């Protein structure tokens, strides 16, 4: 891992150790070491406010018969299934089966639980919701492949947005696909923060004046106004998942 003033590149061999957490629990499991009791999910925190971010991004490895807890008050949650299958139970009593590349957005203070009957891995984003008068968000359940491809004027990559672009939502999650040799046509500089997870393939990321080869499993945090550019390398497409704050005055 390389820690700099404005961005962090977390390469796969340097992933932080998974540890047991009390946000997700298994009522039938008691851990006998010094870790948190009554849990059966391991977490690896990838991005946290200690880096300068206003959100948290972590991996959750759910084991057999594990179940989630709730985030803190006024915190919204987005989860994306990387491996396996989980069941989301919401306030209406409905249960939604989420498979690989499926996702869910849970508004702040929404009662819900995520359960797994077998091993599953999720990437989870949480942030304290930035309330906007007369606007509220709604629960969203979706699948990446069911989202339409959006126009990207002047660019060649394929773009899907997993959340609505309307004002109530203070962040979005983008899925971006690059064929081998494709790249961003401009070096981007903007006020938005990013949390990136490379889902497939490999490429090279320019951050500031440094260049970083990345591969599937690598994570990057980008602070506001960090110059950034990406190119896909290798023989297969690359796909990454990208957090981006939107629809709020940065002041």
């Amino acid at each position: 891992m390389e820690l700099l003033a404005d961005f962090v590149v977390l390469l796969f061999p340097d992933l932080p150790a998974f540890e047991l957490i009390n946000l997700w629990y298994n009522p039938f499991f008691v851990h006998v070491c010094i870790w948190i009791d009554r849990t059966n999910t391991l977490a690896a925190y990838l991005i946290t406010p200690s880096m300068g971010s206003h959100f948290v991004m972590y991996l959750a490895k759910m084991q057999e018969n594990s179940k989630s807890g709730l985030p803190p008050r006024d915190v919204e949650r987005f989860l994306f299934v990387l491996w396996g299958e989980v069941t989301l139970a919401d306030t209406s009593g409905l249960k939604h089966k989420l498979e690989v590349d499926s996702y869910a957005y849970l508004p702040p203070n929404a009662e819900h639980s995520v359960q797994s009957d077998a091993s599953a891995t999720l990437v989870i984003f949480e942030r304290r919701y930035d309330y906007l008068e007369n606007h509220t968000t709604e629960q969203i359940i979706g699948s990446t492949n069911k989202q339409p491809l959006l126009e990207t004027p002047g660019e060649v990559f394929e773009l899907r947005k997993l959340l609505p672009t309307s004002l109530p939502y203070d962040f979005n999650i983008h899925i971006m696909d690059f064929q081998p040799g494709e790249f961003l046509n401009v070096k981007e500089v903007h006020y938005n923060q990013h949390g990136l997870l490379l889902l497939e393939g490999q490429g090279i990321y320019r951050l500031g004046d440094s260049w970083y080869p990345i591969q599937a499993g690598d994570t990057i945090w980008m602070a506001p106004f960090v110059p950034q550019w990406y190119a896909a390398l290798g023989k297969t497409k690359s796909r990454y998942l990208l957090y981006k704050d939107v629809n709020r005055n940065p002041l």
Side-chain angles (χ1 to χ4, degrees):
M1 179 175 73
E2 182 162 348
L3 179 60
L4 300 174
D6 296 320
F7 58 88
V8 173
V9 181
L10 193 61
L11 302 177
F12 185 76
D14 299 325
L15 279 178
F18 281 86
E19 59 183 81
L20 291 160
I21 55 173
N22 62 354
L23 297 177
W24 305 69
Y25 64 90
N26 173 7
F28 306 107
F29 179 83
V30 178
H31 194 72
V32 295
C33 297
I34 61 172
W35 303 101
I36 299 166
D37 289 344
R38 301 179 66 79
T39 185
N40 200 18
T41 295
L42 301 174
Y45 284 89
L46 306 175
I47 298 173
T48 70
S50 62
M51 296 176 176
S53 69
H54 58 218
F55 65 96
V56 169
M57 174 182 176
Y58 60 97
L59 298 177
K61 279 190 173 181
M62 302 184 71
Q63 306 303 313
E64 184 178 358
N65 296 322
S66 58
K67 181 181 179 181
S68 74
L70 294 172
R73 182 169 179 79
D74 294 332
V75 170
E76 54 192 335
R77 172 182 281 172
F78 178 93
L79 58 90
F80 184 94
V81 182
L82 299 173
W83 184 80
E85 180 180 293
V86 299
T87 300
L88 170 69
D90 61 25
T91 53
S92 67
L94 295 177
K95 293 187 176 181
H96 311 269
K97 184 168 68 173
L98 303 179
E99 301 173 331
V100 173
D101 290 339
S102 297
Y103 60 89
Y105 168 81
L106 291 313
N109 307 318
E111 293 288 332
H112 67 277
S113 66
V114 181
Q115 296 177 298
S116 64
D117 295 328
S119 297
T121 301
L122 296 77
V123 59
I124 298 171
F125 295 86
E126 294 175 349
R127 66 167 284 177
R128 196 165 298 280
Y129 182 61
D130 189 354
Y131 285 93
L132 200 61
E133 188 175 1
N134 299 322
H135 292 278
T136 57
T137 60
E138 298 180 353
Q139 176 179 290
I140 295 172
I141 310 292
S143 176
T144 301
N145 292 335
K146 292 183 179 179
Q147 300 310 307
L149 290 173
L150 303 177
E151 293 186 3
T152 55
E155 297 286 359
V156 295
F157 62 84
E158 294 183 342
L159 171 66
R160 294 175 171 87
K161 295 185 179 182
L162 304 188
L163 295 180
T165 58
S166 54
L167 279 178
Y169 298 87
D170 57 5
F171 74 90
N172 213 311
I173 301 292
H174 295 183
I175 297 291
M176 300 171 68
D177 292 332
F178 295 78
Q179 296 301 319
E182 292 183 345
F183 53 87
L184 292 172
N185 284 332
V186 296
K187 180 176 67 175
E188 296 184 350
V189 180
H190 47 63
Y191 77 89
N192 314 85
Q193 295 189 24
H194 285 325
L196 180 152
L197 175 63
L198 193 65
L199 300 174
E200 301 177 31
Q202 58 184 304
I204 188 164
Y205 233 101
R206 179 183 177 181
L207 299 168
D209 294 325
S210 301
W211 302 78
Y212 297 91
I214 61 173
Q215 61 183 343
D218 290 344
T219 298
I220 302 174
W221 173 66
M222 289 168 264
F225 301 108
V226 172
Q228 54 199 257
W229 179 88
Y230 177 73
L233 304 176
K235 297 181 179 180
T236 61
K237 80 169 184 181
S238 64
R239 164 176 284 191
Y240 60 72
L241 177 151
L242 186 77
Y243 167 97
K244 181 179 182 179
D245 53 303
V246 296
N247 293 330
R248 296 296 186 274
N249 189 319
L251 181 62

